[in-house]
């Protein structure tokens, strides 16, 4: 009859949906209430550090746990192994590590030989979620527990050493060349004392205080609604709820539609009811209100890009289990038309954009946002335009059924104009189509959980031909170095060859040309000098100390004696040296 619970981790917020089943019986109802948000507990509970490389570590004073050790902490990681902490003695040691994706090890030696206790988890522990480790050791036994898994206990021997004698510093992370822990550790308590990981991490390279920070600095690079996801050595962008792809959610996902092709996206999975609350969450925008017993939308957000040369055609259509519908069309003259029928009026409400031909083969971007009675339309890079539904019109889109791209294939009555525009169908490109949080083209071209909702007629070929090219906004007059004020523009128009008016530009161009000529001349001179030195390096005279008459002498010694009259040394025959 009643369920209640506490949300204890801030990572579990925000609550995006509450699913309640078994509501189809008569008299069955559900009520959800949320109590007050309270912050309480140990301020060191979230004292954390991020180890961004496998060689990162923090060091603290030697752990004093001779006869008893009580160690507890939380960790989260996406790595498969790594050392949490270690402290060494001459032969004694104590160590905690993640041995594999499913194993945590507690090992120590008090002089009786190494002892290891291993807890094996049925589920991976490297799932980037918090897990608690509690290790204890005393003179009687040692134990290890991970989360709520069964406690592993090892009895101590009845005889032998009992004191754990350590002398090195306590290392949290990598130690002794081992692969260190890669991830986050928080609330590290050793014998009742919480180690200040954050303060030590501030002055330690390779370790960062807390378990976040990259998204704070770089999250803005996740574009188009992409969600920034923290990593331990960076960040990534989650594009799953966008119509884009790529590392930063900026790559268009689009396709080429041949004549007669169409795509249908069912808002509810086959075999489920439209009352399924899960499908409601998919269809609803981030803050949409669900006020009817079945699904009703008070607001929609639609954005896409397209290009085509044929008209008329149906670009986008949302059907329902009621006469309600929404459509984006290209009429026979090539103009864009937005059509809403939410009930309460005799005819659908039309928004005609007749100032430009949209069937010109160029990419065009369409953004439509409705909130209650207010509609805002932005086409390409024109300023947004506001419209309002008639006062008699309903403001709820009742029971949406399916979304169509390229052509409408629906059972039941269809608006007459849409029926005419439906033949032969859309030919061209559609890109980055997104309706609230649904991206039908991406669901069709990328394997996702929503792919089962998609049905395609024809061969859908991925292409970015419908994507609008990247446009760079014009520079402001204050930052544009080539900007001329109105007075100068008029002056140049009257006297186009006046030297004073164009002197700045001429001087600037002359300086550039002169600089280029100087560089060319300097290069030529350097080349000539190099060639001249190379050609004449073997020519010219040089002086040596070689004795005169060396050419006719029998040996070098004879030449020296013949040339130098002061050389009176006689050679004793007995002192001759012979080389044998």
């Amino acid at each position: 009859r009643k369920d209640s619970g506490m949300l204890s981790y801030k990572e579990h917020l925000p609550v995006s949906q509450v699913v309640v089943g078994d509501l189809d019986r008569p008299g069955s109802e559900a009520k959800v209430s949320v109590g007050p948000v309270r912050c309480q507990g140990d301020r060191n509970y979230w004292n954390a550090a991020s180890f961004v490389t496998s060689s990162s570590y923090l060091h603290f004073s030697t752990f004093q746990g001779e006869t008893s050790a009580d160690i507890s902490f939380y960790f989260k990681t996406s790595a498969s192994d790594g050392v949490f902490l270690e402290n060494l003695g001459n032969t004694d040691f104590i160590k905690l590590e993640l041995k594999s994706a499913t194993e945590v090890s507690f090992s120590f030696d008090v002089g009786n030989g190494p002892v290891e206790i291993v807890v094996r988890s049925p589920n991976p522990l490297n799932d980037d979620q918090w897990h608690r480790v509690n290790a204890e050791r005393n003179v009687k036994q040692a134990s290890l527990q991970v989360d709520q898994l069964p406690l592993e206990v090892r009895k101590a021997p009845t005889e032998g050493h009992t004191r754990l004698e350590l002398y090195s510093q306590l290392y949290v992370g990598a130690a002794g060349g081992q692969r260190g822990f890669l991830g986050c550790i928080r609330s590290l308590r050793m014998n009742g004392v919480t180690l200040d990981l954050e303060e030590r991490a501030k002055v330690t390279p390779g370790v960062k205080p807390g378990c976040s920070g990259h998204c704070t600095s770089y999250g803005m690079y996740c574009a188009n609604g992409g969600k920034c996801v923290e990593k331990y050595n960076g960040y990534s962008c989650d594009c799953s709820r966008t119509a884009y792809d790529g590392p930063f959610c900026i790559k268009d996902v689009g396709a080429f539609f041949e004549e007669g092709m169409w795509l249908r996206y069912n808002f509810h999975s086959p075999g489920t009811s439209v009352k399924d609350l899960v499908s409601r969450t998919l269809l609803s925008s981030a803050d949409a209100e669900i006020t009817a017993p079945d699904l009703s939308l008070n607001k929609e957000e639609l954005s896409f890009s397209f290009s085509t040369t044929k008209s008329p055609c149906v670009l986008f259509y949302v059907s329902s289990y009621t006469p309600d519908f929404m459509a984006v069309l290209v009429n026979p003259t090539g103009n864009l038309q937005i059509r809403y029928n939410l009930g309460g009026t005799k005819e659908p409400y039309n928004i005609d954009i007749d100032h430009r031909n949209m069937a010109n083969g160029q990419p065009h971007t369409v953004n439509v946002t409705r909130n209650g009675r207010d509609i805002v339309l932005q086409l390409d890079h024109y300023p947004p335009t506001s419209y309002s539904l008639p006062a008699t019109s309903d403001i709820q889109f009742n029971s949406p059924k399916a979304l169509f791209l390229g052509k409408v294939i629906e059972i039941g009555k269809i608006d007459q104009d849409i029926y005419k525009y439906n033949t032969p169908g859309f030919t061209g490109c559609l890109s980055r189509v997104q309706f609230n949080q649904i991206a039908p083209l991406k669901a069709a071209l990328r394997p996702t959980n929503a792919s089962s909702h998609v049905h395609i007629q024809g061969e859908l070929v991925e292409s970015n031909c419908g994507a609008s090219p990247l446009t760079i906004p014009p520079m402001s007059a204050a930052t544009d170095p080539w900007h001329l004020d109105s007075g100068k523009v008029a002056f140049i128009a009257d006297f186009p060859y006046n030297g004073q008016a164009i002197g700045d530009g001429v001087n600037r161009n002359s300086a550039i040309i002169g600089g280029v000529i100087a560089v060319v001349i300097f290069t030529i001179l350097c080349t000539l000098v190099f060639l001249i030195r190379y050609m004449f390096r073997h020519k010219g005279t040089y002086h040596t100390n070689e004795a005169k008459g060396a050419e006719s002498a029998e040996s070098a010694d004879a030449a020296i004696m013949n040339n130098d009259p002061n050389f009176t040394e006689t050679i004793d025959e007995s002192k001759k040296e012979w080389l044998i």
Side-chain angles (χ1 to χ4, degrees), residues 188-200:
L188 175 58
R189 294 175 63 88
M190 304 190 70
N191 282 354
V193 178
T194 302
L195 301 187
D196 194 348
L197 302 177
E198 290 188 356
E199 195 64 30
R200 189 61 58 92

Side-chain angles (χ1 to χ4, degrees), residues 140-420:
K140 294 184 178 181
Q141 66 179 26
S143 63
L144 174 66
Q145 186 173 26
V146 179
D147 295 333
Q148 301 301 318
L149 296 173
L151 182 71
E152 292 288 335
V153 180
R154 183 72 57 84
K155 296 291 184 180
T158 55
E159 296 180 357
H161 300 281
T162 59
R163 298 180 65 85
L164 180 66
E165 298 179 355
L166 306 174
Y167 69 86
S168 74
Q169 289 184 315
L170 169 67
Y171 289 92
V172 180
Q178 303 176 83
R179 176 179 172 82
F181 175 71
L182 189 66
C184 283
I185 295 178
R186 69 173 173 86
S187 189
L188 175 58
R189 294 175 63 88
M190 304 190 70
N191 282 354
V193 178
T194 302
L195 301 187
D196 194 348
L197 302 177
E198 290 188 356
E199 195 64 30
R200 189 61 58 92
K202 293 178 182 178
V203 295
T204 306
V207 187
K208 296 186 177 181
C211 279
S212 61
H214 299 96
C215 286
T216 304
S217 302
Y218 307 105
M220 76 285 293
Y221 294 115
C222 296
N224 301 305
K227 181 181 178 181
C228 183
V229 179
E230 287 286 352
K231 298 292 184 183
Y232 307 115
N233 55 353
Y235 69 99
S236 65
C237 298
D238 179 8
C239 311
S240 60
R241 292 206 152 188
T242 74
Y244 294 80
D245 205 354
F248 303 104
C249 308
I250 58 176
K251 179 183 177 183
D252 292 76
V253 178
F256 177 76
F257 283 70
E258 295 181 347
E259 187 175 292
M261 282 186 56
W262 52 271
L263 180 149
R264 175 185 175 123
Y265 185 99
N266 297 308
F267 291 137
H268 58 92
S269 300
T272 62
S273 168
V274 72
K275 297 180 181 181
D276 186 347
L277 288 175
V278 177
S279 67
R280 296 182 188 184
T281 305
L282 280 173
L283 180 57
S284 302
S285 59
D287 55 351
E289 299 175 5
I290 300 176
T291 59
D294 54 356
L295 176 59
S296 296
L297 296 177
N298 286 333
K299 56 184 71 174
E300 302 91 34
E301 296 178 8
L302 169 65
S303 62
F304 66 94
S305 176
F306 77 96
S307 65
T308 185
T309 57
K310 295 185 179 181
S311 61
C313 61
V314 178
L315 299 174
F316 175 91
Y317 183 88
V318 177
S319 68
S320 70
Y321 291 95
T322 68
D324 294 2
F325 71 85
M326 173 189 177
V328 181
L329 317 168
V330 177
N331 64 23
T333 59
N335 300 135
L336 194 72
Q337 183 182 83
I338 314 296
R339 182 170 293 197
Y340 265 102
N341 185 42
L342 301 182
T345 58
K346 293 183 179 180
E347 298 293 334
Y349 176 70
N350 297 332
I351 301 175
D352 294 296
I353 313 297
D354 54 5
H355 66 276
R356 188 174 182 184
N357 178 21
M358 308 298 289
N360 57 1
Q362 297 299 316
H364 298 285
T365 300
V366 180
N367 291 280
V368 182
T369 302
R370 182 185 74 90
N371 189 350
R373 207 174 298 280
D374 300 323
I375 300 174
V376 178
L377 170 65
Q378 183 173 18
L379 181 63
D380 294 337
H381 301 289
Y382 290 97
T385 308
S386 299
Y387 303 87
S388 183
L389 291 172
T392 59
S393 173
D394 193 358
I395 62 172
Q396 289 185 345
F397 195 138
N398 296 307
S399 304
K401 181 180 179 182
L403 181 156
F404 292 89
L405 299 178
K407 200 171 186 179
V408 181
I409 307 297
E410 188 61 282
I411 300 173
K413 185 179 178 180
I414 301 178
D415 182 84
Q416 191 62 32
D417 285 342
I418 294 176
Y419 182 78
K420 290 189 298 184

Side-chain angles (χ1 to χ4, degrees), residues 10-44:
K10 60 183 180 181
E11 282 81 3
H12 294 166
L13 298 176
V15 177
S16 59
Q17 65 175 344
V18 176
V19 181
V20 181
D22 194 24
L23 298 179
D24 291 333
R25 294 181 291 106
S28 180
E29 63 178 12
K31 179 182 178 181
V32 178
S33 61
V34 180
V37 178
R38 297 189 180 96
C39 295
Q40 59 187 10
D42 183 5
R43 62 182 294 270
N44 291 318

Side-chain angles (χ1 to χ4, degrees), residues 515-529:
V516 172
I517 293 174
V519 170
V520 173
I521 294 174
F522 179 75
T523 304
I524 294 173
L525 290 176
C526 290
T527 305
L528 289 175
V529 170

